[in-house]
Amino acid sequence: MYRFSIRILIKLMELGMRLRAMVVVVWVLLTVMTFSALAVSQVKDVRVWRAPHNMRLVFDLSGPVRYDVFTLISPDRLVVDIHGANLVAPLKVYALNTQIIAMRSFQRAPIDLRVVVDLKKSVTTKSFILAPNAKYGHRLVVDLFDNHAAAVPSALTNTPMPQVKLPLVLPVPTGKRDIIVVIDAGHGGEDPGASSPRGQYEKDVVLAISRKLQHQVNSMKGYRADLTRTSDYFIPLRGRTEIARKKNADLFVSIHADAAPSTAVYGASVFALSDRSATSETSRWLADNENRFDLISGTGNVSLDNKDKMLAGVLLDLSMTASITSSLNVGQKALSNIGRITSLHKRHVEQAGFMVLKSPDIPSILVEAGFISNSYEASKLASVSHQEALARSISNGIRQFFQQNPPPGTYIAWLRDSGKIVIDQLNYHLRSGDTMGHIASSSMTILRSTSNLKTNKLKVDQVLTIRGTELAA
């Protein structure tokens, strides 16, 4: 009887251990399932974009997340905690001659990922979440800036933008400086812009056109062109106008090739700023489409130190009015030249509230080189010869504008004041017997280029366009 009781007790103990083990297993399974259900998002990849003043880390996500970003010292590290996510595959180690030494990650919990980036030196960070677009899904963006004041553009921080001071009496500049044109290739980097049916991206097409326009402008004596971006990286919209201001630009030209809801829409356009509502429904749509890419807000205004509010308002209105008037002038000249080599969407300069046009002290135009959503125009925009023609037409418009309105103290103003420049252009109606030598002292190459001639043969009643050129002293 005693032995029988011992056996029963042993069996019950074994059964209890098994039950406890089963309870533990079930608890573990339920815990894992619960965490898996909560892990809504996955970190699929991390990409790196390099810009002149910063480096951008982009985490591609399957869905929205919460996150924390902070830095550590001794040694310098960046820590990114992504809550509500796990990692699909190990993150790659980047060695792009940048601040990054190594990158590592681990799950602090099944749905709590920590990424540690080992850095060569300390950095300042800026981070934000991006919603999905036509090319990418959800993204977490972390910008790294070198820790010195010059490296962080004010449009990317909470500090105010450089202020524009407008004194009541402006000294008349003297000298022969170059006219400075800042050319802005729209979008870039993480922001691809619009896309064509064949997968071309606006950011690539407009950068190619901008480079060619820079070359065209730089080939004209008395002019200098700079680009806001020289390769594939992102610059916020306010940052682009700030670059122009830092370079003391006389003109700001932003190049785009947007998409329309209908693929049948085609034609190039030129825009200037409007302080009222856009002049057409298309203008409103385009303005909204561009402005939504200003993902990092900035603050800034025109400062009129030591002026009362009424006087400051009057001066600012005068400055903005003068800027818009000049923008419409140069825009119409550019549009007229563009219309000679491609179809136009509108034959007059449209006005809309594009963020990049809101400089009160710099004439600014936005050129829509065509609708990349239209298959035919997308093919033309990808053509090197068409890009060259567009750049040439825009530079012709720029030259015509500044020959009539040269900024004081520039080489072009000196030419005009010295009587050494022919202003604008001359339309000459040919008569029977006229030849190139009879009507111009300009070279045959210039005449063929400006009049779009394919040969040297002339026809009766043909009209030649002779651009303003520098004459011998």
Side-chain angles (χ1 to χ4, degrees):
M1 185 68 180
Y2 176 75
R3 292 178 180 175
F4 179 73
S5 298
I6 294 295
R7 288 197 198 97
I8 293 175
L9 183 59
I10 293 172
K11 291 292 185 181
L12 289 173
M13 291 176 64
E14 291 176 350
L15 180 60
M17 293 175 65
R18 290 174 183 172
L19 288 172
R20 284 195 297 272
M22 290 176 65
V23 169
V24 171
V25 170
V26 170
W27 180 83
V28 171
L29 289 175
L30 288 174
T31 301
V32 171
M33 291 173 63
T34 301
F35 279 128
S36 298
L38 292 174
V40 178
S41 301
Q42 293 179 324
V43 179
K44 298 185 288 187
D45 191 16
V46 62
R47 292 174 285 116
V48 175
W49 298 91
R50 181 63 186 173
H53 301 299
N54 71 288
M55 186 171 63
R56 168 166 289 189
L57 298 180
V58 182
F59 294 88
D60 289 308
L61 310 168
S62 63
V65 297
R66 294 181 300 105
Y67 73 95
D68 292 300
V69 174
F70 57 93
T71 57
L72 300 172
I73 60 174
S74 300
D76 292 309
R77 287 154 290 163
L78 167 72
V79 179
V80 183
D81 285 336
I82 306 176
H83 309 298
N86 56 24
L87 192 61
V88 173
L91 298 177
K92 299 176 183 178
V93 176
Y94 290 90
L96 303 177
N97 193 27
T98 63
Q99 296 101 317
I100 293 180
I101 298 173
M103 189 181 301
R104 45 203 164 87
S105 64
F106 60 93
Q107 295 287 156
R108 302 175 65 199
I111 58 169
D112 193 358
L113 175 68
R114 169 164 288 185
V115 177
V116 180
V117 182
D118 296 316
L119 303 170
K120 295 179 181 177
K121 53 187 176 181
S122 62
V123 297
T124 299
T125 65
K126 185 81 175 181
S127 59
F128 52 94
I129 292 288
L130 292 181
N133 62 21
K135 184 177 180 181
Y136 300 110
H138 293 271
R139 288 149 291 162
L140 166 60
V141 179
V142 182
D143 285 329
L144 311 180
F145 301 95
D146 294 339
N147 260 339
H148 53 86
V152 185
S154 62
L156 304 182
T157 67
N158 293 324
T159 58
M161 291 171 63
Q163 297 180 334
V164 182
K165 297 182 179 180
L166 303 176
L168 287 175
V169 180
L170 292 173
V172 178
T174 58
K176 299 179 183 179
R177 72 169 179 85
D178 288 339
I179 291 173
I180 301 172
V181 180
V182 171
I183 304 165
D184 172 49
H187 308 281
E190 190 62 19
D191 173 13
S195 60
S196 73
R198 296 183 180 180
Q200 301 160 295
Y201 289 114
E202 180 183 1
K203 65 176 184 177
D204 300 321
V205 170
V206 298
L207 180 59
I209 296 172
S210 296
R211 285 170 173 166
K212 291 175 175 60
L213 177 57
Q214 181 190 30
H215 176 75
Q216 291 283 343
V217 173
N218 284 336
S219 68
M220 302 186 299
K221 187 174 182 180
Y223 295 83
R224 190 184 86 231
D226 291 319
L227 299 176
T228 57
R229 67 178 180 96
T230 56
S231 60
D232 187 17
Y233 52 85
F234 175 81
I235 303 174
L237 298 180
R238 291 188 188 277
R240 297 167 190 262
T241 56
E242 184 180 336
I243 290 171
R245 184 167 289 112
K246 286 181 177 179
K247 292 181 178 291
N248 297 313
D250 297 292
L251 177 66
F252 179 85
V253 181
S254 188
I255 308 295
H256 290 258
D258 218 316
S262 170
T263 57
V265 178
Y266 66 93
S269 306
V270 175
F271 289 83
L273 180 66
S274 174
D275 54 1
R276 301 179 302 274
S277 59
T279 55
S280 70
E281 193 64 29
T282 302
S283 301
R284 293 188 189 95
W285 185 88
L286 288 170
D288 291 342
N289 193 46
E290 296 293 345
N291 289 346
R292 65 187 174 86
F293 286 112
D294 192 16
L295 304 170
I296 307 172
S297 63
T299 58
N301 57 355
V302 175
S303 174
L304 299 166
D305 293 341
N306 303 319
K307 311 294 188 298
D308 61 47
K309 290 183 179 180
M310 181 176 292
L311 178 58
V314 170
L315 292 177
L316 179 57
D317 286 343
L318 287 173
S319 178
M320 183 65 80
T321 300
S323 177
I324 293 176
T325 300
S326 295
S327 301
L328 291 169
N329 191 342
V330 66
Q332 191 59 52
K333 286 178 167 53
L335 187 66
S336 297
N337 282 277
I338 293 171
R340 294 171 181 168
I341 58 100
T342 192
S343 300
L344 297 179
H345 185 61
K346 294 285 181 66
R347 293 194 171 275
H348 63 274
V349 178
E350 299 182 81
Q351 293 180 260
F354 290 103
M355 186 67 70
V356 292
L357 300 180
K358 294 183 178 180
S359 291
D361 53 340
I362 306 173
S364 305
I365 60 173
L366 186 146
V367 177
E368 292 284 0
F371 285 89
I372 200 171
S373 51
N374 181 286
S375 297
Y376 176 69
E377 283 206 323
S379 298
K380 289 205 305 181
L381 289 169
S383 164
V384 174
S385 60
H386 187 68
Q387 293 171 359
E388 289 280 3
L390 280 170
R392 188 178 303 109
S393 63
I394 298 170
S395 67
N396 284 341
I398 292 171
R399 184 186 65 243
Q400 291 166 14
F401 170 75
F402 280 118
Q403 284 179 347
Q404 292 180 341
N405 308 276
T410 61
Y411 175 73
I412 303 303
W414 175 80
L415 285 178
R416 183 200 60 180
D417 296 341
S418 303
K420 299 177 182 292
I421 193 170
V422 178
I423 301 300
D424 201 20
Q425 63 185 40
L426 169 69
N427 290 330
Y428 181 87
H429 195 88
L430 290 176
R431 298 177 176 82
S432 179
D434 279 343
T435 65
M436 290 281 192
H438 293 150
I439 62 173
S441 59
S442 301
S443 70
M444 195 173 298
T445 301
I446 293 176
L447 281 172
R448 286 182 59 181
S449 174
T450 57
S451 298
N452 296 319
L453 298 177
K454 295 183 179 180
T455 69
N456 292 337
K457 295 182 179 179
L458 302 177
K459 298 178 181 179
V460 174
D461 292 328
Q462 185 176 1
V463 175
L464 293 182
T465 299
I466 306 173
R467 305 284 184 220
T469 56
E470 179 184 346
L471 302 181

